[in-house]
Amino acid sequence: EERTYSEAQLNGLNGHSQAVDLEQHLSDVSDDVDAPINKPDPLNEWFLESVSLGSMNGERSGAKLPEGVAPLDPRVNDPFFLSHPDVNDISATIGNDLVGTDHPVLNSAARYFFNSEDGKGKGKQVRPVMVMLLSRAMMQSNSLLETSTPHLNHTLKSQRRLAEITEMIHTASLFHDDVIDDADTRRGQPAAHRAFGNKMAILAGDYLLARASIYLARLRNVDVVECMSTTIEHLVRGEVLQIKDSRTGVADIEGYLRKNFYKTASLMANSCKSAALLNHASPDVVDAAYCYGKHVGVAFQLIDDALDFEGSAASLGKPALADLNAGLSTAPVLFAAESHGDVLIPAMARKFKEAGDIDLALRCIQEADGVRRTKELAAVHAEMAMESVVKALEPSPFRDSLVHLASRVVDRSR
């Protein structure tokens, strides 16, 4: 007997066939669902030999720009000028559109850093700036910015959403960090837990991560989802390492830099890598984007360490010497411990709690050039970041602005 099928039945069969084809494709990609799509970074090179006591000849004046990069021009290749159209309203968009909830207190807490009236709460927004500049630099290399097309508009919209997700994850980490550290201020205003209490600050941070995860899934790019999800794991891992160090009071410089990667540089590195993945860039460009973000992130945290010994509460948005007073041994202290370990390590182990410990640490740091060596190492990593984008991307104002952003990270005073 001859059988006939309705159109609906045929469509159902076709849908089943497509599902089987997709399942087979995924099986072909990897037989192991636990295998990472993105190769993990071994984190085994920090360029410490460049700032060893015997290798430093005189004082550097920041990071050196690579050849072929145009000098900084405020109206041509300044990173914050070029990125302004893309990022100037990111905080408002997050606060007004992306994190709304029907619970009034949670709503206020989640929006705390995004909707501040004086603008202080939104911070420097370095991460969104990096994502948008890198995106446009890659498009410039591929001549995609010359015409407006649906593909270009979709890519820019996706990159903008990635920049927002990055800022949401970063801000969530600030909520949690300030509770753990019992901080009083953040970005020149009371820390969130001082305004809303510990429980609500933690819940607001969790809520931001949840909202970021939803919008991350809507990018519909598995590689990007894995990249950005990894940064959340790294944030927790870094905080656990810091708690471990705070209990013993003693850390080695390589372990400290690894912890800083997890807490700061990973989000920058994987955000930049995700921007390249969304642009369907070549593997070399994807690797270069990751390296750029990683080295800028390492440099950024090192300069934060140095500024804690040089800045004022007004310039930093938090009390000076906050790390020492919290018992934390940052890069300047760890460099000083290499030559003054006999007196400094016991003070580090008791977290600078005895009378005279902080003065002792400051004296050792000064004698060992701890702050200068920290800045030198930051400059080395900034130069590595610059080289990565100069080699991988075609010359353009956007590419050069990435170089100047890395330079500005090292030269900043807040």
Side-chain angles (χ1 to χ4, degrees), residues 48-78:
L48 290 167
E49 67 281 355
S50 62
V51 294
S52 62
L53 286 172
S55 66
M56 296 176 62
N57 298 314
E59 187 168 356
R60 301 164 53 122
S61 56
K64 181 181 178 182
L65 299 183
E67 292 185 5
V69 174
L72 179 64
D73 187 319
R75 294 288 176 177
V76 176
N77 57 20
D78 179 272

PDB file of all heavy atoms in Angstrom, residues 48-78:
ATOM      1  N   LEU A  48      59.663  38.792  34.987  1.00  0.00           N
ATOM      2  CA  LEU A  48      60.254  39.328  36.212  1.00  0.00           C
ATOM      3  C   LEU A  48      61.741  39.601  36.068  1.00  0.00           C
ATOM      4  O   LEU A  48      62.290  40.455  36.772  1.00  0.00           O
ATOM      5  CB  LEU A  48      60.014  38.356  37.371  1.00  0.00           C
ATOM      6  CG  LEU A  48      58.560  38.255  37.849  1.00  0.00           C
ATOM      7  CD1 LEU A  48      58.379  37.057  38.766  1.00  0.00           C
ATOM      8  CD2 LEU A  48      58.160  39.539  38.572  1.00  0.00           C
ATOM      9  N   GLU A  49      62.391  38.880  35.152  1.00  0.00           N
ATOM     10  CA  GLU A  49      63.832  39.090  34.979  1.00  0.00           C
ATOM     11  C   GLU A  49      64.151  40.503  34.510  1.00  0.00           C
ATOM     12  O   GLU A  49      65.235  41.025  34.746  1.00  0.00           O
ATOM     13  CB  GLU A  49      64.406  38.069  33.988  1.00  0.00           C
ATOM     14  CG  GLU A  49      63.942  38.211  32.547  1.00  0.00           C
ATOM     15  CD  GLU A  49      62.556  37.650  32.275  1.00  0.00           C
ATOM     16  OE1 GLU A  49      61.969  37.048  33.205  1.00  0.00           O
ATOM     17  OE2 GLU A  49      62.056  37.812  31.146  1.00  0.00           O
ATOM     18  N   SER A  50      63.180  41.166  33.885  1.00  0.00           N
ATOM     19  CA  SER A  50      63.416  42.526  33.371  1.00  0.00           C
ATOM     20  C   SER A  50      63.477  43.561  34.488  1.00  0.00           C
ATOM     21  O   SER A  50      63.930  44.684  34.260  1.00  0.00           O
ATOM     22  CB  SER A  50      62.328  42.908  32.366  1.00  0.00           C
ATOM     23  OG  SER A  50      61.058  42.910  32.988  1.00  0.00           O
ATOM     24  N   VAL A  51      63.020  43.201  35.685  1.00  0.00           N
ATOM     25  CA  VAL A  51      63.050  44.154  36.804  1.00  0.00           C
ATOM     26  C   VAL A  51      63.821  43.582  38.003  1.00  0.00           C
ATOM     27  O   VAL A  51      63.605  43.995  39.135  1.00  0.00           O
ATOM     28  CB  VAL A  51      61.621  44.561  37.235  1.00  0.00           C
ATOM     29  CG1 VAL A  51      60.938  45.337  36.146  1.00  0.00           C
ATOM     30  CG2 VAL A  51      60.790  43.342  37.633  1.00  0.00           C
ATOM     31  N   SER A  52      64.700  42.623  37.728  1.00  0.00           N
ATOM     32  CA  SER A  52      65.530  42.112  38.808  1.00  0.00           C
ATOM     33  C   SER A  52      66.498  43.201  39.251  1.00  0.00           C
ATOM     34  O   SER A  52      66.798  44.138  38.503  1.00  0.00           O
ATOM     35  CB  SER A  52      66.298  40.862  38.361  1.00  0.00           C
ATOM     36  OG  SER A  52      67.162  41.183  37.287  1.00  0.00           O
ATOM     37  N   LEU A  53      67.004  43.082  40.462  1.00  0.00           N
ATOM     38  CA  LEU A  53      67.832  44.139  41.039  1.00  0.00           C
ATOM     39  C   LEU A  53      69.063  44.431  40.194  1.00  0.00           C
ATOM     40  O   LEU A  53      69.519  45.565  40.105  1.00  0.00           O
ATOM     41  CB  LEU A  53      68.251  43.748  42.459  1.00  0.00           C
ATOM     42  CG  LEU A  53      67.140  43.857  43.510  1.00  0.00           C
ATOM     43  CD1 LEU A  53      67.608  43.263  44.825  1.00  0.00           C
ATOM     44  CD2 LEU A  53      66.721  45.298  43.694  1.00  0.00           C
ATOM     45  N   GLY A  54      69.609  43.411  39.532  1.00  0.00           N
ATOM     46  CA  GLY A  54      70.833  43.620  38.763  1.00  0.00           C
ATOM     47  C   GLY A  54      70.614  44.050  37.330  1.00  0.00           C
ATOM     48  O   GLY A  54      71.566  44.363  36.616  1.00  0.00           O
ATOM     49  N   SER A  55      69.340  44.082  36.888  1.00  0.00           N
ATOM     50  CA  SER A  55      69.078  44.366  35.473  1.00  0.00           C
ATOM     51  C   SER A  55      68.589  45.774  35.210  1.00  0.00           C
ATOM     52  O   SER A  55      68.460  46.185  34.061  1.00  0.00           O
ATOM     53  CB  SER A  55      68.025  43.383  34.934  1.00  0.00           C
ATOM     54  OG  SER A  55      66.777  43.601  35.563  1.00  0.00           O
ATOM     55  N   MET A  56      68.300  46.547  36.247  1.00  0.00           N
ATOM     56  CA  MET A  56      67.713  47.870  36.062  1.00  0.00           C
ATOM     57  C   MET A  56      68.800  48.933  35.992  1.00  0.00           C
ATOM     58  O   MET A  56      69.602  49.077  36.910  1.00  0.00           O
ATOM     59  CB  MET A  56      66.750  48.185  37.205  1.00  0.00           C
ATOM     60  CG  MET A  56      65.545  47.252  37.234  1.00  0.00           C
ATOM     61  SD  MET A  56      64.481  47.550  38.653  1.00  0.00           S
ATOM     62  CE  MET A  56      63.958  49.222  38.358  1.00  0.00           C
ATOM     63  N   ASN A  57      68.820  49.663  34.892  1.00  0.00           N
ATOM     64  CA  ASN A  57      69.787  50.739  34.696  1.00  0.00           C
ATOM     65  C   ASN A  57      69.039  52.057  34.535  1.00  0.00           C
ATOM     66  O   ASN A  57      68.536  52.373  33.462  1.00  0.00           O
ATOM     67  CB  ASN A  57      70.643  50.476  33.445  1.00  0.00           C
ATOM     68  CG  ASN A  57      71.453  49.195  33.570  1.00  0.00           C
ATOM     69  OD1 ASN A  57      72.068  48.948  34.599  1.00  0.00           O
ATOM     70  ND2 ASN A  57      71.441  48.368  32.521  1.00  0.00           N
ATOM     71  N   GLY A  58      68.945  52.809  35.612  1.00  0.00           N
ATOM     72  CA  GLY A  58      68.237  54.079  35.534  1.00  0.00           C
ATOM     73  C   GLY A  58      66.737  53.870  35.563  1.00  0.00           C
ATOM     74  O   GLY A  58      66.229  52.752  35.545  1.00  0.00           O
ATOM     75  N   GLU A  59      65.999  54.946  35.582  1.00  0.00           N
ATOM     76  CA  GLU A  59      64.541  54.891  35.682  1.00  0.00           C
ATOM     77  C   GLU A  59      63.905  55.133  34.323  1.00  0.00           C
ATOM     78  O   GLU A  59      64.269  56.047  33.590  1.00  0.00           O
ATOM     79  CB  GLU A  59      64.049  55.938  36.685  1.00  0.00           C
ATOM     80  CG  GLU A  59      62.572  55.838  36.962  1.00  0.00           C
ATOM     81  CD  GLU A  59      62.153  56.683  38.153  1.00  0.00           C
ATOM     82  OE1 GLU A  59      63.043  57.281  38.783  1.00  0.00           O
ATOM     83  OE2 GLU A  59      60.943  56.729  38.435  1.00  0.00           O
ATOM     84  N   ARG A  60      62.924  54.287  33.987  1.00  0.00           N
ATOM     85  CA  ARG A  60      62.192  54.438  32.735  1.00  0.00           C
ATOM     86  C   ARG A  60      61.134  55.516  32.883  1.00  0.00           C
ATOM     87  O   ARG A  60      60.706  55.839  33.977  1.00  0.00           O
ATOM     88  CB  ARG A  60      61.491  53.119  32.374  1.00  0.00           C
ATOM     89  CG  ARG A  60      62.415  51.957  32.210  1.00  0.00           C
ATOM     90  CD  ARG A  60      61.633  50.660  32.250  1.00  0.00           C
ATOM     91  NE  ARG A  60      60.535  50.676  31.303  1.00  0.00           N
ATOM     92  CZ  ARG A  60      60.377  49.780  30.322  1.00  0.00           C
ATOM     93  NH1 ARG A  60      61.255  48.833  30.152  1.00  0.00           N
ATOM     94  NH2 ARG A  60      59.356  49.832  29.516  1.00  0.00           N
ATOM     95  N   SER A  61      60.722  56.059  31.790  1.00  0.00           N
ATOM     96  CA  SER A  61      59.625  57.036  31.819  1.00  0.00           C
ATOM     97  C   SER A  61      58.412  56.418  31.127  1.00  0.00           C
ATOM     98  O   SER A  61      58.065  56.761  30.005  1.00  0.00           O
ATOM     99  CB  SER A  61      60.033  58.333  31.113  1.00  0.00           C
ATOM    100  OG  SER A  61      60.445  58.060  29.788  1.00  0.00           O
ATOM    101  N   GLY A  62      57.791  55.445  31.785  1.00  0.00           N
ATOM    102  CA  GLY A  62      56.614  54.797  31.232  1.00  0.00           C
ATOM    103  C   GLY A  62      56.949  53.791  30.157  1.00  0.00           C
ATOM    104  O   GLY A  62      58.101  53.400  29.962  1.00  0.00           O
ATOM    105  N   ALA A  63      55.924  53.346  29.446  1.00  0.00           N
ATOM    106  CA  ALA A  63      56.082  52.359  28.387  1.00  0.00           C
ATOM    107  C   ALA A  63      56.477  53.042  27.083  1.00  0.00           C
ATOM    108  O   ALA A  63      55.999  54.127  26.758  1.00  0.00           O
ATOM    109  CB  ALA A  63      54.788  51.581  28.202  1.00  0.00           C
ATOM    110  N   LYS A  64      57.333  52.382  26.327  1.00  0.00           N
ATOM    111  CA  LYS A  64      57.802  52.917  25.050  1.00  0.00           C
ATOM    112  C   LYS A  64      56.855  52.498  23.929  1.00  0.00           C
ATOM    113  O   LYS A  64      56.510  51.325  23.800  1.00  0.00           O
ATOM    114  CB  LYS A  64      59.213  52.409  24.762  1.00  0.00           C
ATOM    115  CG  LYS A  64      59.812  52.931  23.478  1.00  0.00           C
ATOM    116  CD  LYS A  64      61.202  52.366  23.251  1.00  0.00           C
ATOM    117  CE  LYS A  64      61.793  52.861  21.927  1.00  0.00           C
ATOM    118  NZ  LYS A  64      63.144  52.270  21.692  1.00  0.00           N
ATOM    119  N   LEU A  65      56.439  53.457  23.096  1.00  0.00           N
ATOM    120  CA  LEU A  65      55.529  53.160  22.000  1.00  0.00           C
ATOM    121  C   LEU A  65      56.251  52.405  20.894  1.00  0.00           C
ATOM    122  O   LEU A  65      57.399  52.716  20.569  1.00  0.00           O
ATOM    123  CB  LEU A  65      54.926  54.439  21.425  1.00  0.00           C
ATOM    124  CG  LEU A  65      54.093  55.315  22.362  1.00  0.00           C
ATOM    125  CD1 LEU A  65      53.518  56.490  21.591  1.00  0.00           C
ATOM    126  CD2 LEU A  65      52.983  54.514  23.023  1.00  0.00           C
ATOM    127  N   PRO A  66      55.619  51.415  20.281  1.00  0.00           N
ATOM    128  CA  PRO A  66      56.236  50.690  19.161  1.00  0.00           C
ATOM    129  C   PRO A  66      56.397  51.589  17.941  1.00  0.00           C
ATOM    130  O   PRO A  66      55.711  52.611  17.801  1.00  0.00           O
ATOM    131  CB  PRO A  66      55.239  49.564  18.871  1.00  0.00           C
ATOM    132  CG  PRO A  66      54.328  49.509  20.050  1.00  0.00           C
ATOM    133  CD  PRO A  66      54.297  50.884  20.627  1.00  0.00           C
ATOM    134  N   GLU A  67      57.277  51.194  17.051  1.00  0.00           N
ATOM    135  CA  GLU A  67      57.451  51.930  15.790  1.00  0.00           C
ATOM    136  C   GLU A  67      56.180  51.834  14.950  1.00  0.00           C
ATOM    137  O   GLU A  67      55.487  50.824  14.953  1.00  0.00           O
ATOM    138  CB  GLU A  67      58.640  51.361  15.007  1.00  0.00           C
ATOM    139  CG  GLU A  67      59.982  51.613  15.662  1.00  0.00           C
ATOM    140  CD  GLU A  67      61.128  51.131  14.781  1.00  0.00           C
ATOM    141  OE1 GLU A  67      60.858  50.703  13.632  1.00  0.00           O
ATOM    142  OE2 GLU A  67      62.288  51.169  15.237  1.00  0.00           O
ATOM    143  N   GLY A  68      55.895  52.905  14.218  1.00  0.00           N
ATOM    144  CA  GLY A  68      54.743  52.905  13.332  1.00  0.00           C
ATOM    145  C   GLY A  68      53.455  53.377  13.970  1.00  0.00           C
ATOM    146  O   GLY A  68      52.420  53.437  13.298  1.00  0.00           O
ATOM    147  N   VAL A  69      53.505  53.700  15.256  1.00  0.00           N
ATOM    148  CA  VAL A  69      52.312  54.188  15.950  1.00  0.00           C
ATOM    149  C   VAL A  69      52.331  55.714  15.964  1.00  0.00           C
ATOM    150  O   VAL A  69      53.325  56.329  16.358  1.00  0.00           O
ATOM    151  CB  VAL A  69      52.245  53.653  17.392  1.00  0.00           C
ATOM    152  CG1 VAL A  69      51.093  54.287  18.154  1.00  0.00           C
ATOM    153  CG2 VAL A  69      52.108  52.138  17.380  1.00  0.00           C
ATOM    154  N   ALA A  70      51.246  56.317  15.513  1.00  0.00           N
ATOM    155  CA  ALA A  70      51.172  57.776  15.474  1.00  0.00           C
ATOM    156  C   ALA A  70      51.139  58.344  16.886  1.00  0.00           C
ATOM    157  O   ALA A  70      50.558  57.739  17.791  1.00  0.00           O
ATOM    158  CB  ALA A  70      49.928  58.213  14.708  1.00  0.00           C
ATOM    159  N   PRO A  71      51.750  59.503  17.098  1.00  0.00           N
ATOM    160  CA  PRO A  71      51.701  60.137  18.426  1.00  0.00           C
ATOM    161  C   PRO A  71      50.267  60.394  18.856  1.00  0.00           C
ATOM    162  O   PRO A  71      49.359  60.512  18.022  1.00  0.00           O
ATOM    163  CB  PRO A  71      52.469  61.451  18.214  1.00  0.00           C
ATOM    164  CG  PRO A  71      53.300  61.230  16.996  1.00  0.00           C
ATOM    165  CD  PRO A  71      52.523  60.297  16.122  1.00  0.00           C
ATOM    166  N   LEU A  72      50.071  60.502  20.150  1.00  0.00           N
ATOM    167  CA  LEU A  72      48.728  60.730  20.684  1.00  0.00           C
ATOM    168  C   LEU A  72      48.179  62.063  20.201  1.00  0.00           C
ATOM    169  O   LEU A  72      48.816  63.106  20.343  1.00  0.00           O
ATOM    170  CB  LEU A  72      48.764  60.715  22.216  1.00  0.00           C
ATOM    171  CG  LEU A  72      47.424  60.962  22.919  1.00  0.00           C
ATOM    172  CD1 LEU A  72      46.443  59.845  22.611  1.00  0.00           C
ATOM    173  CD2 LEU A  72      47.633  61.083  24.427  1.00  0.00           C
ATOM    174  N   ASP A  73      46.983  62.025  19.602  1.00  0.00           N
ATOM    175  CA  ASP A  73      46.280  63.216  19.158  1.00  0.00           C
ATOM    176  C   ASP A  73      44.886  63.176  19.770  1.00  0.00           C
ATOM    177  O   ASP A  73      44.119  62.233  19.505  1.00  0.00           O
ATOM    178  CB  ASP A  73      46.188  63.249  17.627  1.00  0.00           C
ATOM    179  CG  ASP A  73      45.601  64.555  17.100  1.00  0.00           C
ATOM    180  OD1 ASP A  73      44.634  65.056  17.705  1.00  0.00           O
ATOM    181  OD2 ASP A  73      46.114  65.068  16.084  1.00  0.00           O
ATOM    182  N   PRO A  74      44.524  64.160  20.568  1.00  0.00           N
ATOM    183  CA  PRO A  74      43.239  64.112  21.279  1.00  0.00           C
ATOM    184  C   PRO A  74      42.028  63.947  20.379  1.00  0.00           C
ATOM    185  O   PRO A  74      40.997  63.448  20.826  1.00  0.00           O
ATOM    186  CB  PRO A  74      43.192  65.458  22.015  1.00  0.00           C
ATOM    187  CG  PRO A  74      44.616  65.877  22.156  1.00  0.00           C
ATOM    188  CD  PRO A  74      45.313  65.362  20.927  1.00  0.00           C
ATOM    189  N   ARG A  75      42.137  64.365  19.112  1.00  0.00           N
ATOM    190  CA  ARG A  75      40.984  64.291  18.217  1.00  0.00           C
ATOM    191  C   ARG A  75      41.112  63.202  17.149  1.00  0.00           C
ATOM    192  O   ARG A  75      40.258  63.091  16.270  1.00  0.00           O
ATOM    193  CB  ARG A  75      40.785  65.638  17.517  1.00  0.00           C
ATOM    194  CG  ARG A  75      40.385  66.752  18.470  1.00  0.00           C
ATOM    195  CD  ARG A  75      38.961  66.565  18.946  1.00  0.00           C
ATOM    196  NE  ARG A  75      38.540  67.553  19.940  1.00  0.00           N
ATOM    197  CZ  ARG A  75      37.329  67.616  20.447  1.00  0.00           C
ATOM    198  NH1 ARG A  75      36.409  66.762  20.051  1.00  0.00           N
ATOM    199  NH2 ARG A  75      37.033  68.514  21.370  1.00  0.00           N
ATOM    200  N   VAL A  76      42.192  62.416  17.219  1.00  0.00           N
ATOM    201  CA  VAL A  76      42.411  61.405  16.177  1.00  0.00           C
ATOM    202  C   VAL A  76      42.509  60.003  16.766  1.00  0.00           C
ATOM    203  O   VAL A  76      41.812  59.085  16.319  1.00  0.00           O
ATOM    204  CB  VAL A  76      43.678  61.721  15.360  1.00  0.00           C
ATOM    205  CG1 VAL A  76      43.947  60.604  14.346  1.00  0.00           C
ATOM    206  CG2 VAL A  76      43.531  63.059  14.649  1.00  0.00           C
ATOM    207  N   ASN A  77      43.362  59.803  17.759  1.00  0.00           N
ATOM    208  CA  ASN A  77      43.576  58.451  18.259  1.00  0.00           C
ATOM    209  C   ASN A  77      43.568  58.358  19.784  1.00  0.00           C
ATOM    210  O   ASN A  77      44.124  57.418  20.347  1.00  0.00           O
ATOM    211  CB  ASN A  77      44.877  57.870  17.698  1.00  0.00           C
ATOM    212  CG  ASN A  77      46.094  58.738  18.009  1.00  0.00           C
ATOM    213  OD1 ASN A  77      46.072  59.560  18.930  1.00  0.00           O
ATOM    214  ND2 ASN A  77      47.155  58.569  17.230  1.00  0.00           N
ATOM    215  N   ASP A  78      42.961  59.328  20.433  1.00  0.00           N
ATOM    216  CA  ASP A  78      42.814  59.233  21.886  1.00  0.00           C
ATOM    217  C   ASP A  78      41.767  58.157  22.204  1.00  0.00           C
ATOM    218  O   ASP A  78      40.647  58.204  21.680  1.00  0.00           O
ATOM    219  CB  ASP A  78      42.359  60.570  22.466  1.00  0.00           C
ATOM    220  CG  ASP A  78      42.177  60.505  23.965  1.00  0.00           C
ATOM    221  OD1 ASP A  78      41.055  60.150  24.401  1.00  0.00           O
ATOM    222  OD2 ASP A  78      43.142  60.772  24.704  1.00  0.00           O
TER     223      ASP A  78
END
